[in-house]
């Protein structure tokens, strides 16, 4: 599925996870280096493109944003089939969003291509005082599922490049 043409590789990645965990902010933090405290809810699907150079290869990354609401789950499922990789996101200040990651992982396992890559992302690491999930709990949850784990703050631009680039390298 990955389109490779000499030095240019196209990849499609999808951000999934519950509503409000910060998927749209993570994409904006990565692609346009901005953060909006009043980020509007995403309706359906949206995507942004970022070009990057890794190990002498020009990568064209198409990053798809989804809405986590139940009513859009079918839509996201269609896009899952063609994705090369997934950032499965939750909010470190909301334990229920981590519990929901199980749903999204199963959804990927049932729908996506067998060799698609994924990474679990705990976002809003800047809100340390409001944490409901410790780094250790996040790591343990991810390890139990055999998936790598990273924490990010789209607000403070911490760990954001690393999250996307770790996934790209896996792909
Ligand atoms: P989405 O529904 O998953 O796309 O979530 P949004 O990107 O729309 O973000 C939901 C809310 O969380 C917004 O009010 C954001 O400003 C806020 N938010 C997103 N990322 C962070 C973060 O890293 N830190 C903090 N403090 N707030 C964040
Ligand atoms: Mg959104």
């Amino acid at each position: 599925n990955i389109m490779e043409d000499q030095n240019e590789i196209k990849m499609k990645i999808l951000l999934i996870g519950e509503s409000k965990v910060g998927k749209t902010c993570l994409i904006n933090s990565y692609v346009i280096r901005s953060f909006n405290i009043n980020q509007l809810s995403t309706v359906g699907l949206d995507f942004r493109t970022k070009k990057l150079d890794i190990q002498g290869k020009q990568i064209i990354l198409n990053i798809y944003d989804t809405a986590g609401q139940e009513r859009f789950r079918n839509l996201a499922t269609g896009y899952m089939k063609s994705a090369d990789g997934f950032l499965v996101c939750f909010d470190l200040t909301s334990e229920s969003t981590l519990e929901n990651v199980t749903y999204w992982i199963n959804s990927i396992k049932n729908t996506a291509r067998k060799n698609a890559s994924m990474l679990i992302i705990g976002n809003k690491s800047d809100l340390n005082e409001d944490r409901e999930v410790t780094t250790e709990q996040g790591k343990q949850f991810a390890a139990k599922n055999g998936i790598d784990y990273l924490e990010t703050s789209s607000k403070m631009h911490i760990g954001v490049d690393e999250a996307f680039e770790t996934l790209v390298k896996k792909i």
Side-chain angles (χ1 to χ4, degrees):
N1 186 59
I2 298 172
M3 307 278 279
E4 188 163 357
D5 140 38
Q6 291 191 328
N7 295 315
E8 195 179 271
I9 305 173
K10 280 189 186 133
M11 288 181 193
K12 176 172 171 179
I13 66 174
L14 195 57
L15 273 76
I16 56 176
E18 285 310 282
S19 202
K20 300 282 169 210
V21 301
K23 301 179 296 299
T24 302
C25 286
L26 268 170
I27 295 171
N28 289 341
S29 178
Y30 182 53
V31 181
I32 56 174
R33 298 274 161 225
S34 81
F35 176 77
N36 185 356
I37 195 87
N38 297 312
Q39 180 61 49
L40 292 175
S41 282
T42 311
V43 176
L45 259 146
D46 197 4
F47 86 96
R48 283 187 185 277
T49 298
K50 166 121 177 161
K51 291 187 179 179
L52 62 162
D53 233 300
I54 291 185
Q55 293 154 7
K57 296 253 183 189
Q58 169 89 183
I59 316 259
I60 300 181
L61 200 55
N62 284 327
I63 306 169
Y64 285 75
D65 193 4
T66 58
Q69 292 93 333
E70 185 72 40
R71 70 200 161 110
F72 293 119
R73 279 184 178 173
N74 285 336
L75 181 64
T77 300
Y79 278 80
M80 276 184 187
K81 292 193 210 298
S82 58
D84 301 302
F86 298 86
L87 292 181
V88 186
C89 308
F90 73 96
D91 177 349
L92 290 163
T93 71
S94 164
E95 198 181 355
S96 68
T97 66
L98 174 59
E99 286 158 12
N100 238 289
V101 166
T102 304
Y103 165 84
W104 293 106
I105 293 172
N106 287 333
S107 198
I108 292 169
K109 285 181 178 158
N110 293 330
T111 315
R113 298 194 343 272
K114 291 291 163 262
N115 59 349
S117 304
M118 58 176 135
L119 205 59
I120 295 175
I121 303 295
N123 186 42
K124 309 195 187 180
S125 64
D126 56 288
L127 299 176
N128 215 19
E129 313 252 289
D130 302 322
R131 264 186 192 257
E132 287 184 4
V133 179
T134 64
T135 300
E136 203 44 51
Q137 287 168 328
K139 276 185 188 161
Q140 276 178 17
F141 175 92
K144 206 177 64 192
N145 289 282
I147 304 171
D148 284 342
Y149 174 73
L150 286 173
E151 293 185 348
T152 55
S153 166
S154 43
K155 183 175 184 178
M156 306 307 286
H157 309 289
I158 297 169
V160 176
D161 292 359
E162 193 190 349
F164 283 89
E165 281 157 29
T166 300
L167 181 64
V168 166
K169 283 176 185 158
K170 271 179 184 291
I171 294 170

